[in-house]
Amino acid sequence: MSPAPRRPGRAGGDHRDDRRDRRDRADGTASRDARRPAVREQATPRRIAFDVVHAVSAEDAYANLVLPQRLRRASLHGADAAFATELAYGTLRRRGFYDAVIREASGRDLDAIDPAALDLLCLGAHQLLGMSTPVHAAVDETVGLTRPLGLARATGFVNAVMRRISERTAPEWAARLLRGVDDPDERLAIATAHPVWVVVALRAALEREGRGGELEALLESDNVPARVTLAALPGLAQPGDLGEEVDPTPYSPLGRRAASGDPGDDPAVAAGRVRVQDEGSQLAALALSRARPVAAGERWLDLCAGPGGKAALLAAEARAGGARFTANEVVPARAGLVQRALAAVDPAVEVRTADGRDIGRTDRHGFDRILLDAPCTGLGALRRRPEARWRKRPDDVPELAALQAELLDAALDALAPGGLLAYVTCSPHPDETTGVVDRVLDARPEVVRVDTAAVLAGVTRAPLDLGSLDGAVQLWPHRHGTDAMFIQLLTVPAAPPSAPAADSLGA
């Protein structure tokens, strides 16, 4: 159900460029991809970063999948791997801003620039404006990549644009781009490299809590890489097993902040006893599992379980409490990921591959606790998905909201009387969060909102600074250091005791 990927576009606007059309219109400043010879060269950090950025723009690839493969293939570690990661991810996060700078510096529309040369210039712009790379190194290394990339004809153009970009700092370029722009959301979009519609949506989400003044801090936090956090699965590991050099997470009782380096090198992580997992995701799962004591024999369900992070945590919690756990995922490949994620907890856990919208019909009242981590735009996880903000479109929201409502309705049908359901998204967009819950509950007056903030107050290490959302919880990267997870617990009352039969009353 993921929305169709889009090519990053101009700062503050929706990108609707069609890559093929642009390639066909590219002028003679560079050769075309099809004519570019395959050249074997040393896999430097800059070359790897280019490969990642170009794969995202040319093939709609996902950076978080491409980058680890390229680093492993090149055997790049330590400082070189960190440089390649920052160069690729930082470029993708601020892509719209850099496109606008390049348009201004080159005096050309982006359509008139060879796509590969444009990707290379964006990498160069990030070194000049977003990193501490000396100007001579950023310019020389960027120009030096033109020939190995088959862009020899664009060498002079790339050199000229890079030198023009180097004449101003990032704030000076922002001031130049902001000339004549009066709308506050458009100004924030340009200054912080977000599409305007995302700024508008995040503003609305904060204002419903009376925290609209935090918008700029939120947008800035989206441009800061998320620190890696770990979760020790109950019954399989203890947070203290990760060593004293890692700090406890401020809220999750299971979490630790990972030390520098690849967390996959830790044997406990490699074995699946400890998982790399955002603290917000840990709290979403724990809100469901620890809202009340577990009764042996309870039936638990993760309805949209892929790729399996929350499922593994819930399965461990279920096993510790004597409950039975089932995972469901509609996409077979993602169901395979769930199976692997659960292997460390219990290889025998049932993993279904089915459309979650059918669960109310196939398993009516079949589960005592259900996690519905609904498909969403992911606007709450922009720190860790660098290209995501430029791929999403406002048109995606109503389609996803309709799906979310269908899934929530089905999940409530599958909930046993007296059971507990957690509706969760990694988006704070009002239409995907409170809007969906309000819409479904308007038609189901029997469903009761559970004070989720009160539940988490009994789970977290430290109090959460939360807004008032009618019983729901909204986490934020700028306030809590987590993804912007939305969590709403719901319940349906237990069925009243049956009236005694007339003959039992002696009638």
Side-chain angles (χ1 to χ4, degrees):
M1 299 306 297
S2 298
R6 300 295 196 282
R7 171 73 167 80
R10 63 185 176 86
D14 301 327
H15 49 84
R16 299 176 186 279
D17 296 345
D18 183 276
R19 178 162 186 83
R20 186 177 301 280
D21 288 348
R22 189 168 57 181
R23 180 186 299 129
D24 291 344
R25 289 188 303 240
D27 65 12
T29 56
S31 59
R32 298 184 178 185
D33 288 355
R35 302 172 187 169
R36 202 163 286 136
V39 181
R40 295 182 65 84
E41 77 292 330
Q42 185 180 2
T44 64
R46 285 183 173 83
R47 175 56 197 263
I48 288 176
F50 172 84
D51 289 347
V52 174
V53 170
H54 196 53
V56 170
S57 62
E59 304 165 13
D60 296 327
Y62 290 89
N64 65 339
L65 300 181
V66 176
L67 179 64
Q69 295 173 356
R70 292 291 288 116
L71 292 176
R72 279 196 299 271
R73 197 185 310 163
S75 300
L76 222 59
H77 304 284
D80 284 345
F83 182 81
T85 300
E86 167 53 31
L87 185 51
Y89 281 15
T91 299
L92 292 169
R93 282 192 191 94
R94 296 177 181 270
R95 179 75 200 233
F97 178 74
Y98 295 142
D99 278 350
V101 169
I102 292 165
R103 184 192 301 112
E104 187 80 8
S106 68
R108 298 185 183 188
D109 289 338
L110 300 182
D111 289 354
I113 302 174
D114 179 277
L118 180 57
D119 290 339
L120 183 59
L121 282 168
C122 282
L123 286 164
H126 184 56
Q127 293 170 68
L128 289 171
L129 307 179
M131 301 174 72
S132 303
T133 309
V135 170
H136 67 86
V139 174
D140 291 351
E141 295 292 340
T142 300
V143 172
L145 271 177
T146 54
R147 189 171 298 279
L149 292 173
L151 296 166
R153 294 174 60 194
T155 299
F157 172 74
V158 169
N159 184 53
V161 175
M162 284 294 292
R163 294 191 181 283
R164 184 69 58 82
I165 294 173
S166 71
E167 293 171 358
R168 292 182 174 85
T169 64
E172 289 170 344
W173 274 112
R176 186 178 178 91
L177 297 174
L178 288 169
R179 287 184 308 189
V181 179
D182 297 323
D183 181 85
D185 289 334
E186 288 187 27
R187 292 183 65 85
L188 275 173
I190 293 171
T192 64
H194 285 74
V196 174
W197 77 271
V198 173
V199 174
V200 172
L202 295 178
R203 179 190 292 283
L206 283 166
E207 287 181 343
R208 69 184 168 169
E209 296 182 12
R211 301 284 191 98
E214 298 178 2
L215 178 60
E216 191 167 347
L218 169 61
L219 297 172
E220 292 294 346
S221 73
D222 283 345
N223 292 330
V224 179
R227 186 167 177 182
V228 177
T229 55
L230 306 172
L233 298 186
L236 301 180
Q238 297 291 328
D241 295 345
L242 299 171
E244 297 180 356
E245 67 273 16
V246 294
D247 300 326
T249 47
Y251 304 111
S252 171
L254 306 178
R256 286 287 189 276
R257 287 172 167 163
S260 59
D262 184 356
D265 292 340
D266 188 298
V269 175
R273 300 191 304 274
V274 173
R275 296 191 58 82
V276 175
Q277 188 171 49
D278 178 72
E279 194 179 8
S281 294
Q282 297 177 40
L283 295 180
L286 293 174
L288 178 67
S289 65
R290 300 192 177 184
R292 60 175 66 150
V294 183
E298 281 188 8
R299 300 150 298 174
W300 292 16
L301 171 69
D302 186 347
L303 185 55
C304 302
K310 298 184 188 71
L313 178 49
L314 281 177
E317 290 273 282
R319 191 178 75 160
R324 291 177 292 159
F325 180 78
T326 300
N328 180 78
E329 169 55 45
V330 66
V331 180
R334 287 169 62 86
L337 296 176
V338 176
Q339 193 81 62
R340 285 197 287 275
L342 293 171
V345 182
D346 183 355
V349 169
E350 180 186 15
V351 179
R352 302 179 182 179
T353 303
D355 190 327
R357 292 172 290 188
D358 295 333
I359 195 70
R361 175 177 53 79
T362 60
D363 294 79
R364 189 168 183 82
H365 304 322
F367 296 94
D368 301 290
R369 303 193 198 206
I370 299 175
L371 172 66
L372 171 52
D373 185 10
C376 68
T377 56
L379 296 185
L382 298 182
R383 302 175 304 164
R384 65 182 74 252
R385 298 172 187 168
E387 72 276 12
R389 72 188 70 178
W390 309 109
R391 281 187 164 156
K392 307 300 180 186
R393 299 179 59 191
D395 294 348
D396 297 327
V397 175
E399 179 183 350
L400 285 165
L403 172 62
Q404 292 153 1
E406 288 184 80
L407 287 167
L408 180 54
D409 212 36
L412 287 168
D413 285 340
L415 192 63
L420 198 60
L421 185 150
Y423 176 75
V424 174
T425 65
C426 61
S427 168
H429 195 302
D431 289 351
E432 299 185 87
T433 54
T434 48
V436 169
V437 174
D438 291 347
R439 174 178 163 190
V440 172
L441 266 56
D442 281 348
R444 306 189 65 133
E446 79 279 12
V447 181
V448 177
R449 300 172 201 261
V450 176
D451 188 344
T452 311
V455 169
L456 278 180
V459 171
T460 58
R461 285 192 175 106
L464 290 160
D465 178 13
L466 299 172
S468 177
L469 278 181
D470 198 17
V473 162
Q474 179 65 67
L475 303 174
W476 293 103
H478 67 287
R479 204 187 301 160
H480 307 108
T482 68
D483 289 347
M485 304 294 297
F486 174 84
I487 312 165
Q488 172 69 76
L489 293 173
L490 302 168
T491 188
V492 290
S498 302
D503 56 357
S504 70
L505 297 176

